[in-house]
Amino acid sequence: MEPKKLTRTVADRKLMGVCGGLAKYFGIDPVIVRVGYAIFAVVCACIPALIIYFLCGLIIPEEGK
């Protein structure tokens, strides 16, 4: 059995594919991850959440690479 690998999605991408990749890794619907992240961004005053998102977009490799 091959271990799971966290990657950014290409097919289910809205911005950088981070939420789609997290949803695929955990086996849940990407909409749930996006809504959860949006709530997290509002609670955290948006700027820290955006910084975390873009850092994850830089760190997490793209699917197929």
Side-chain angles (χ1 to χ4, degrees):
M1 184 160 101
E2 189 175 320
K4 292 194 320 187
K5 190 173 184 183
L6 178 60
T7 59
R8 293 183 291 135
T9 58
V10 176
D12 189 26
R13 167 180 271 174
K14 296 297 179 194
L15 187 59
M16 294 178 78
V18 175
C19 290
L22 286 169
K24 186 175 180 182
Y25 183 80
F26 290 112
I28 57 177
D29 188 15
V31 174
I32 295 171
V33 176
R34 289 186 184 108
V35 169
Y37 192 79
I39 292 169
F40 170 73
V42 169
V43 170
C44 290
C46 204
I47 299 300
L50 289 174
I51 292 170
I52 291 170
Y53 184 88
F54 284 109
L55 285 175
C56 287
L58 294 173
I59 294 171
I60 300 172
E62 193 171 87
E63 187 175 52
K65 289 189 177 181

